[in-house]
Amino acid sequence: AQSVTQLDSQVPVFEEAPVELRCNYSSSVSVYLFWYVQYPNQGLQLLLKYLSGSTLVKGINGFEAEFNKSQTSFHLRKPSVHISDTAEYFCAVSPNFGNEKLTFGTGTRLTIIP
Amino acid sequence: GAVVSQHPSRVICKSGTSVKIECRSLDFQATTMFWYRQFPKQSLMLMATSNEGSKATYEQGVEKDKFLINHASLTLSTLTVTSAHPEDSSFYICSARDAGGPSYEQYFGPGTRLTVT
């Protein structure tokens, strides 16, 4: 079984400042890792994913994340945030051998302060 | 790109009635669809996995007789909440896997807000 922990439920950040949203996972098998963004009253949009290879993955909207196997982390970063980045961000994990169920973290609400 | 739609986007129903939510893959075939439930300010909880042409697989604690899932075609899955009660009020989101794409990729619908009065 897998589990995902997002330590910060809310993160306020000033516009144009950098941000890091933390995600740690637990799994007994190798996993795929994902970050999704959810705007109010909408479904989820994939920001980026780690499947294998380079531990630094780049996604849409200027976001990137780094997979750290020893720390079982997959933190999301953006060097300069914009008002439009205000949303809920979910980290998710799934096993990498064909069972495709996603396990989500509890989410981090990112609020950009003008 | 892969688009998933849900209908309706919002529905209000009276306690004791049933409501059907549709999930459609618009530009791809989906042999597998997933149904999630999201409570306010909480994460998505997987309710069931829907496979085309076969019975859905429900997660532990989800009442299969209350949440009826039908996946009759490669582009349509439906979730019917039977005898709805106020505690069933929630945001229901579906996702779909492209039959011709990688197994790890899920495309999410925009969600359906159900309010039971």
Side-chain angles (χ1 to χ4, degrees), chain A residues 52-63:
Chain A
S52 64
S54 174
T55 57
L56 182 64
V57 292
K58 294 187 183 296
I60 62 171
N61 301 341
F63 284 93

Side-chain angles (χ1 to χ4, degrees), chain A residues 32 34 36 38 41-44 46 49 51 90 94 98 100-102 104-107, chain B residues 10 34 36 38 42-44 46 49 59 91 93 97 103-106 108-110 113:
Chain A
Y32 295 143
F34 306 83
Y36 288 89
Q38 184 181 34
N41 295 312
Q42 294 186 29
L44 274 65
L46 180 66
K49 59 182 180 288
L51 306 177
F90 291 96
S94 73
E100 311 92 346
K101 292 182 185 179
L102 281 170
F104 286 88
T106 50
Chain B
R10 289 177 178 269
F34 301 89
Y36 295 87
Q38 185 181 30
Q42 294 188 30
S43 188
L44 282 76
L46 180 65
T49 302
E59 294 300 300
F91 194 51
I93 301 175
R97 174 162 296 113
S103 63
Y104 53 76
E105 196 101 55
Q106 291 185 30
F108 286 81
R113 176 77 60 192

Side-chain angles (χ1 to χ4, degrees), chain B residues 28-76:
Chain B
F28 64 97
Q29 293 185 328
T31 51
T32 303
M33 289 184 172
F34 301 89
W35 286 96
Y36 295 87
R37 183 174 181 177
Q38 185 181 30
F39 290 104
K41 300 186 188 301
Q42 294 188 30
S43 188
L44 282 76
M45 299 300 295
L46 180 65
M47 299 175 65
T49 302
S50 167
N51 293 295
E52 187 267 336
S54 64
K55 289 184 178 180
T57 302
Y58 291 82
E59 294 300 300
Q60 192 172 9
V62 177
E63 299 176 61
K64 60 180 67 176
D65 294 331
K66 182 169 187 60
F67 298 100
L68 300 179
I69 291 172
N70 183 278
H71 192 162
S73 78
L74 287 172
T75 59
L76 174 65

Side-chain angles (χ1 to χ4, degrees), chain A residues 12-18 79-85 111-114:
Chain A
V13 179
F14 284 103
E15 193 172 14
E16 298 184 5
S80 176
V81 295
H82 189 267
I83 287 287
S84 59
D85 292 323
T111 301
I112 308 303
I113 305 166

Side-chain angles (χ1 to χ4, degrees), chain B residues 18-31:
Chain B
S18 296
V19 61
K20 181 185 287 188
I21 301 170
E22 293 185 348
C23 176
R24 292 182 185 273
S25 57
L26 298 185
D27 49 4
F28 64 97
Q29 293 185 328
T31 51

